[in-house]
Amino acid sequence: MSTVRLTDAEVVDAHCHPYRVEDLLGRDPSTFETRCMFLGTALLSSRKIDQGLAALTHELTETTLFGLALRRWLAGHLGCEPTMEAVAAARDQALRRDPAQYARGLLDDERIVAVVAEEGYPQPAIPREEFENALGGITVYRVGRIEPWILESREAGSFESALARFEEIVTEAAADPHLVAFKTIIAYRTGLDVTDPTRQDTASAFDRWRDGGWMESRGDAKTVRDFLLRRALQLSSEHDRPFHIHVGGGDPDINLRHARPRDVFPLLLDHQNVPIVLIHAGYPWVEEAAYVASVLPNVYLDISELVPWGWGQIDAALTTILGAVPGAKVLHGSDEASEPEMFWASARLVRAALERVLSAFVDRDYLSVGDGERIGRAVLADNVRRLHGF
């Protein structure tokens, strides 16, 4: 069997969220494993999860494949017994000794040299420099989420004033060379089936939305959000920035009826000049996202959320994606949102999965070993660098 080796390949995490050190230190150290699971992350981020289910969520970590793997891997890294209690105690001791040094040690262990942080979560936004310090000085790049800017802009009063303020905010953000992309989570608000309202219709919808107390709906709110998303896409092109779109599942706040890759396809057709990254590769609808990226040249796939929470599916998903989509359009990401171990575990998982999947392609005589290693290194770091210009 021919083997693709990526042990020394650098990693750039294409999608994560910043955290504050004081928040990290303020959480219960005994439940950090649970916070790394999809169930635990949703418990933190969703307004719809019953918080009374926290104990059950923690109990379920004990039979979650990712939780068991993370425990064993981290025990080896920390030099302790692979039990929940021993790992939690050793991790807490190392974290409190020096939070930035602990995080940097995890990043260096997997050769993670930079991260791209989407600053829309948590709110209020965490400054880039603060997150860089939290990670021990590793380079952090920004992604600006448009939804907080919409909330800020609409306070201007009239639609025309709100639109002018929104455009001003986007332009100000683009002046920062560390801001490498814009993003929308419209799938969480009014759905990915984005309409194309006129300016006049949007102005009328804005007035009704305002007079109705800014109630979210698939009516007036959707009209305004759809118009502003299309304007943001135009501005991202003017400022030479890629655009990230959350596509697929998320925590229970997601509008799951209108979150599939097929829902956003008409919008992608209308904006083929803009490099667009489908964040989360449409997970759990990976095949749909792979199809979309295989027929539209300027559509890219970020595999976060699938990684690490689709843990047992990653080999099959990478086989599907890399078997259909040009390798230059696939980006590694972790969707880390609260715990530094997520960077480390995700990179370790993807590095090993890429080696297995690409080696299998070599054995089928689809690739040479050199081709496989070139594609693997591109997924881990080179693609995000090239696409975002750093």
Side-chain angles (χ1 to χ4, degrees):
M1 178 177 179
S2 302
T3 302
V4 171
R5 299 192 183 279
L6 300 170
T7 306
D8 65 341
E10 290 185 340
V11 176
V12 175
D13 195 311
H15 181 70
C16 68
H17 300 272
Y19 61 75
R20 293 181 174 86
V21 170
E22 55 265 35
D23 293 338
L24 184 66
L25 296 176
R27 301 185 185 110
D28 183 352
S30 69
T31 59
F32 94 92
E33 284 185 356
T34 299
R35 293 193 298 272
C36 292
M37 303 305 105
F38 210 175
L39 282 172
T41 296
L43 194 70
L44 287 174
S45 64
S46 174
R47 296 165 295 177
K48 296 181 179 179
I49 288 285
D50 181 353
Q51 296 298 308
L53 296 174
L56 174 59
T57 300
H58 183 56
E59 179 183 330
L60 290 170
T61 298
E62 193 63 38
T63 58
T64 302
L65 189 62
F66 174 33
L68 297 173
L70 176 63
R71 184 181 304 167
R72 288 192 307 103
W73 290 0
L74 201 52
H77 179 73
L78 294 170
C80 66
E81 291 297 313
T83 65
M84 179 182 289
E85 295 76 15
V87 171
R91 182 257 190 185
D92 189 55
Q93 183 180 33
L95 179 65
R96 293 183 186 282
R97 185 182 304 118
D98 188 327
Q101 184 180 28
Y102 174 68
R104 185 59 185 260
L106 289 167
L107 296 167
D108 288 347
D109 191 58
E110 277 297 327
R111 297 180 60 79
I112 302 168
V113 297
V115 304
V116 180
E118 195 267 274
E119 60 192 22
Y121 177 84
Q123 287 290 312
I126 298 172
R128 181 188 65 82
E129 296 84 356
E130 180 179 338
F131 193 39
E132 277 193 347
N133 290 334
L135 297 182
I138 199 169
T139 302
V140 172
Y141 295 96
R142 299 173 56 205
V143 174
R145 184 190 290 189
I146 69 169
E147 278 70 25
W149 300 342
I150 291 174
L151 296 183
E152 178 181 341
S153 300
R154 72 187 186 185
E155 299 305 318
S158 69
F159 170 68
E160 291 299 331
S161 296
L163 176 59
R165 178 58 184 145
F166 180 75
E167 293 173 341
E168 181 181 41
I169 294 171
V170 172
T171 300
E172 288 173 353
D176 180 359
H178 284 96
L179 187 132
V180 297
F182 298 106
K183 185 193 175 186
T184 181
I185 57 160
I186 201 169
Y188 273 95
R189 299 295 181 260
T190 52
L192 289 173
D193 54 332
V194 177
T195 60
D196 191 9
T198 66
R199 190 172 184 134
Q200 181 177 358
D201 288 343
T202 306
S204 298
F206 181 92
D207 291 343
R208 293 191 297 270
W209 191 24
R210 179 198 59 215
D211 295 344
W214 304 117
M215 292 292 292
E216 293 291 353
S217 72
R218 297 262 300 162
D220 297 327
K222 177 172 174 55
T223 298
V224 177
R225 289 186 180 280
D226 289 356
F227 182 92
L228 291 177
L229 171 54
R230 286 180 176 271
R231 182 63 184 125
L233 282 161
Q234 294 169 350
L235 290 169
S236 72
S237 178
E238 293 174 14
H239 293 295
D240 195 26
R241 297 296 202 283
F243 206 95
H244 295 187
I245 302 179
H246 177 114
V247 178
D251 73 28
D253 291 357
I254 195 79
N255 185 343
L256 207 55
R257 293 185 183 90
H258 304 283
R260 299 180 67 144
R262 67 187 182 192
D263 294 320
V264 79
F265 192 67
L267 182 72
L268 301 177
L269 286 174
D270 289 345
H271 296 276
Q272 295 183 51
N273 64 312
V274 182
I276 293 177
V277 183
L278 303 186
I279 299 296
H280 312 317
Y283 175 71
W285 300 289
V286 173
E287 290 184 353
E288 279 188 20
Y291 163 74
V292 172
S294 73
V295 297
L296 295 179
N298 237 356
V299 172
Y300 296 73
L301 300 183
D302 151 85
I303 61 173
S304 66
E305 196 171 294
L306 168 64
V307 175
W309 296 309
W311 191 265
Q313 306 168 50
I314 185 61
D315 285 37
L318 283 173
T319 299
T320 296
I321 292 170
L322 293 175
V325 180
K329 299 206 298 172
V330 182
L331 316 177
H332 162 70
S334 68
D335 203 20
E336 177 281 326
S338 63
E339 312 294 326
E341 291 82 6
M342 296 292 282
F343 290 118
W344 175 77
S346 298
R348 180 169 176 170
L349 169 64
V350 173
R351 190 191 305 276
L354 283 168
E355 288 181 341
R356 291 190 299 269
V357 169
L358 292 168
S359 292
F361 281 143
V362 172
D363 287 341
R364 295 175 197 170
D365 198 27
Y366 296 169
L367 297 173
S368 68
V369 171
D371 287 335
E373 292 182 349
R374 174 172 53 85
I375 290 172
R377 291 174 184 275
V379 171
L380 290 171
D382 295 343
N383 292 341
V384 64
R385 286 168 164 155
R386 183 181 62 257
L387 176 62
H388 295 88
F390 63 82

